[in-house]
Amino acid sequence: MTRRTEWPGSEDDTSSAAAGDAETRQGRRDRHGRENGGGPDASRAAPGPPRTPEEQARAICLRLLTGNPRTRKQLGDALHQRGIPEEAAEEVLSRFEDVGLIDDAAFAEAWVESRHHGRGLARRALARELRTKGVDSTLIDVAVGRLDSEQEESTARELVDRKLRATRGLDREKRLRRLAGMLARKGYPEGLALRVVRQALEEEGEDPELLEEHYLPDI
């Protein structure tokens, strides 16, 4: 006769395990319901206290600064558009300046470096862009002053060299206007633009005297 071995407490353990499984499943259902906004607990959740204007302003500024640097004016305009009271906005903006999160001087220097080397913009165009962003004129002068005339002319020549081939086949005056106009739109002075373009065309074999006849007052 085979004797069955009874493990102590096996029936109780089985019952306890079954009960535990049921509780675990119920717990999973409860958590699932709360995570998805369901269940009675979610409907009874009370909203938190409203944030102060200063807290809202800090959150807005931090969010905007996460993507790209901003000037004080850009952040101030954003706070104004979102209805932040002026006093609270000024307090937060000043605090951000104190800790270095807002630095218009550094912004202007980085802008000049990036836009000159990336887009070939001259000092005049760079200064215009920085003014639209609310940078103080003194800071603008310092930032664009880092570009000297030699660097500006070198960049202008690089721009012309890249566009020169696309103008081949056009007559002399159209080539001159198109290339000089391209430089003018990037903020280069007319005299510099004409000089650089004429030099490039001369190197291609154009007659210098004929090039000198063209004056472009409307570029």
Side-chain angles (χ1 to χ4, degrees):
M1 176 176 178
T2 302
R3 182 178 178 182
R4 186 176 64 180
T5 301
E6 296 289 347
W7 296 101
S10 60
E11 293 182 359
D12 292 340
D13 290 343
T14 301
S15 300
S16 298
D21 289 342
E23 291 174 359
T24 300
R25 288 192 298 271
Q26 181 62 38
R28 289 172 179 167
R29 285 195 296 271
D30 290 344
R31 288 195 300 273
H32 183 71
R34 285 195 295 270
E35 290 171 357
N36 290 278
D41 290 341
S43 63
R44 291 198 299 268
R51 292 186 297 178
T52 65
E54 290 79 8
E55 290 173 333
Q56 295 177 45
R58 281 194 293 272
I60 292 169
C61 288
L62 287 172
R63 185 168 64 251
L64 291 174
L65 289 169
T66 298
N68 293 298
R70 312 272 178 159
T71 66
R72 177 169 178 142
K73 182 180 184 302
Q74 286 178 306
L75 293 172
D77 290 344
L79 295 179
H80 177 72
Q81 291 172 1
R82 288 162 175 77
I84 302 297
E86 183 177 352
E87 184 176 350
E90 288 300 313
E91 178 181 338
V92 170
L93 292 173
S94 294
R95 177 57 180 163
F96 273 44
E97 277 189 327
D98 291 341
V99 300
L101 291 175
I102 299 175
D103 189 339
D104 282 3
F107 177 95
E109 291 177 10
W111 186 267
V112 168
E113 178 75 13
S114 173
R115 299 285 283 176
H116 178 72
H117 292 289
R119 299 288 302 277
L121 298 186
R123 287 175 290 186
R124 185 169 60 185
L126 292 166
R128 184 169 58 246
E129 289 186 340
L130 288 171
R131 281 194 296 270
T132 66
K133 297 182 181 301
V135 178
D136 182 81
S137 59
T138 301
L139 299 179
I140 293 175
D141 291 342
V142 172
V144 300
R146 294 177 179 273
L147 288 176
D148 57 27
S149 299
E150 184 177 342
Q151 175 62 51
E152 200 171 49
E153 182 165 344
S154 175
T155 302
R157 180 56 195 262
E158 290 174 5
L159 291 169
V160 170
D161 288 343
R162 289 203 294 265
K163 296 288 186 180
L164 201 59
R165 178 175 295 183
T167 66
R168 289 172 185 164
L170 300 176
D171 64 53
R172 183 186 307 109
E173 183 175 352
K174 285 184 178 179
R175 296 187 79 190
L176 189 62
R177 284 181 174 275
R178 182 166 298 184
L179 293 168
M182 177 269 295
L183 291 180
R185 288 189 294 274
K186 290 181 178 291
Y188 290 89
E190 181 181 293
L192 171 62
L194 288 172
R195 182 173 70 254
V196 169
V197 173
R198 283 168 177 160
Q199 289 173 351
L201 294 178
E202 284 177 24
E203 291 173 8
E204 279 203 338
E206 291 284 356
D207 188 330
E209 293 185 1
L210 294 177
L211 290 171
E212 287 293 336
E213 294 177 359
H214 297 288
Y215 175 66
L216 310 176
D218 57 343
I219 64 171

